[in-house]
Amino acid sequence: QQPPLQVDFRCACFKLTDVSTVNFTTVVKFVVVFEWNDPRLKGMSMTTNDLPVDLWGPDIILENAQNDCAVLYDSFSLIDSARGRLKRTVTFHGHVYNPMSLKDFPFDEDDLEMKFISICNWRTLDGSRHGNDPCNQVYVLKPMLDRENVPFFFLGWGGKINEFHMLGWVVDVINPNNDPSKPIIFKFDIQLARKWIYY
């Protein structure tokens, strides 16, 4: 049996606005960038334009996305033909469900949590076919925390949020051990503290 394919990933956030403690929602533009090696392409003389439209690629679901949260498959590219290294970028843009505790208002701190899941979800390059396959194409997710000159998390705006300070972020990935029928769970939390002087 083949070992699971390792799919590396990193993240970026380009928008975080409208944090509503009344509606339990926040508007985000959050990007997940996947990278993996496809041995079938290793050493082949080709470019991104030569990739077959039905080429396999990983996919993921943002579990706490609201109905208006659009999912955009921005790019699918060959970044290193010698290794058969591929990259896919997935953007989530819209409201996410985010209940926050007001117990210590207006001195409260809380996390904006984005919870992603995958049961070895996949989607072809052209998006024409997709689904999950915990039998034939099993993979694990690994955050790119050890890359030189490539930050795992890119903050794509000034970091200002009305009513809140951003304190930091935390990532947690749970890959099921020897049971691909169970979902991979990837959580990304942005830690927030309310600006009490705002009131």
Side-chain angles (χ1 to χ4, degrees), residues 7 18 26 30 86 92-93 99 104-105 112 116-117 120 122 127 141 145 147 158 171-172 176 193-194:
V7 176
D18 300 334
T26 304
F30 195 85
L86 295 161
F92 300 86
H93 191 186
D104 299 318
F105 179 88
L112 164 61
F116 299 87
I117 60 171
C120 294
W122 60 274
L141 290 179
L145 298 172
R147 298 291 182 89
V171 63
D172 184 33
R194 194 179 300 273

Side-chain angles (χ1 to χ4, degrees), residues 10-17 27-31 33 112 114 150-161 164-170 188-192:
R10 52 192 169 89
C11 304
C13 187
F14 291 93
K15 178 188 286 187
L16 200 169
T17 60
V27 175
V28 299
K29 185 176 183 181
F30 195 85
V31 179
V33 181
L112 164 61
M114 282 160 285
V150 181
F152 170 75
F153 178 58
F154 175 72
L155 188 65
W157 91 102
K160 292 184 178 180
I161 309 167
F164 292 91
H165 295 290
M166 189 170 69
L167 303 179
W169 56 268
V170 176
F188 191 95
D189 294 351
I190 296 178
Q191 300 162 324
L192 303 175

Side-chain angles (χ1 to χ4, degrees), residues 39-114:
R40 300 171 300 177
L41 304 178
K42 185 177 179 179
M44 294 186 67
S45 178
M46 61 190 311
T47 67
T48 295
N49 292 334
D50 301 318
L51 294 175
V53 295
D54 61 350
L55 187 62
W56 179 95
D59 197 5
I60 203 162
I61 296 168
L62 178 55
E63 189 177 62
N64 57 321
Q66 298 291 276
N67 291 336
D68 74 328
C69 188
V71 184
L72 308 172
Y73 295 89
D74 299 320
S75 67
F76 194 128
S77 56
L78 180 66
I79 57 175
D80 185 347
S81 59
R83 293 187 295 156
R85 188 75 170 170
L86 295 161
K87 180 176 78 170
R88 159 169 271 169
T89 302
V90 185
T91 299
F92 300 86
H93 191 186
H95 285 86
V96 295
Y97 178 67
N98 184 56
M100 300 179 71
S101 172
L102 297 176
K103 175 183 173 183
D104 299 318
F105 179 88
F107 306 103
D108 48 317
E109 297 182 6
D110 216 324
D111 292 344
L112 164 61
E113 178 185 286
M114 282 160 285

Side-chain angles (χ1 to χ4, degrees), residues 120-134:
C120 294
N121 286 60
W122 60 274
R123 182 176 296 268
T124 56
L125 185 155
D126 66 355
S128 62
R129 294 188 298 125
H130 57 88
N132 58 58
D133 189 353

